[in-house]
Amino acid sequence: GDIVLLAKPVTLTEGDRVTLTTDVPVATDGTSKPEKLLYAVSLPPVHGQIEHINYPGVPISSYSQLDVVAQKVSDVHDNSHGAGKEALR
């Protein structure tokens, strides 16, 4: 079926951490299996990384919709200069 993805920018300040919720990335593919709907991080944040909350400090390159629903994924700013909106792609 068709995949529908809605994503909003995330605004972080230096050293900030934002847990992703279904208000930021939300996708549907017509099935009821969120664990099988995967996001791939094709362009990581410029000033930080995407992390699984169980493994802080370790960048991840993919995560599932189930991870987002369970609030297990964070966008973490690395304390470098230049805060701003980061689009998840």
Side-chain angles (χ1 to χ4, degrees):
D2 293 333
I3 296 175
V4 177
L5 173 64
L6 302 171
K8 296 178 185 176
V10 175
T11 302
L12 298 169
T13 56
E14 289 181 24
D16 203 4
R17 170 185 297 270
V18 172
T19 299
L20 304 185
T21 65
T22 55
D23 290 341
V24 179
V26 63
T28 60
D29 67 352
T31 70
S32 60
K33 298 183 179 185
E35 70 278 5
K36 293 193 177 200
L37 186 56
L38 299 177
Y39 295 92
V41 181
S42 59
L43 288 171
V46 175
H47 298 286
Q49 60 195 24
I50 305 297
E51 299 177 355
H52 191 281
I53 64 165
N54 292 348
Y55 305 101
V58 179
I60 58 175
S61 59
S62 66
Y63 53 92
S64 73
Q65 181 68 25
L66 186 61
D67 292 330
V68 175
V69 170
Q71 298 185 359
K72 298 283 188 179
V73 180
S74 294
D75 186 346
V76 182
H77 196 280
D78 65 5
N79 280 324
S80 65
H81 295 291
K85 293 185 177 180
E86 302 270 82
L88 299 175
R89 300 175 203 165

